Amino acid sequence: GFFKACVRMKPMSPTARQRRTRENENVSPDDVLPKAMSIAEEIASAAPLAVRWTKRSINDALNEDIKAAAYREAMQQSRSTETDDFKEGVRAHLKGEEPYFQGR
């Protein structure tokens, strides 16, 4: 849920957020693996550096002083705008295309 929302980096309307919350809470046992694979595919299609830094930020916030974690997250967000993947994401968004991220 939370990690996936961070990685998606796409704005969600309140209605979409409520729907996603219901989806996350109401997965039948038979649908757990297909739902997990769907989430994994969405995360895998995101920019690799963004995924790595998001995971690190969440872990930092859980395991250390929140102020230090927030500072490090702000630095990572600032640094992310300098990556090739950021430029690719903006380019693809403006052209209505799917981005091709390379982890750079």
Side-chain angles (χ1 to χ4, degrees), residues 24-75:
N24 287 341
E25 293 173 356
N26 296 315
V27 177
S28 71
D30 291 339
D31 293 333
V32 170
L33 184 57
K35 183 70 174 176
M37 293 302 293
S38 173
I39 292 169
E41 288 170 4
E42 189 170 351
I43 292 170
S45 71
L49 293 175
V51 173
R52 182 179 313 138
W53 292 338
T54 299
K55 182 179 176 187
R56 185 177 300 151
S57 292
I58 292 169
N59 285 330
D60 288 349
L62 294 172
N63 296 315
E64 65 180 62
D65 174 57
I66 193 70
K67 286 184 181 181
Y71 177 79
R72 187 167 18 274
E73 179 183 1
M75 294 293 96

Side-chain angles (χ1 to χ4, degrees), residues 4-5 8 15 19 32-33 37 43-44 48 52 58-59 62 64 70 73-74 77 80 83-85 87-89 96 104:
K4 182 181 168 199
R8 289 179 75 241
T15 303
R19 184 179 64 248
V32 170
L33 184 57
M37 293 302 293
I43 292 170
R52 182 179 313 138
I58 292 169
N59 285 330
L62 294 172
E64 65 180 62
E73 179 183 1
Q77 285 183 17
S80 72
T83 66
D84 290 341
D85 281 351
K87 294 171 191 157
E88 170 62 11
R104 298 184 291 173

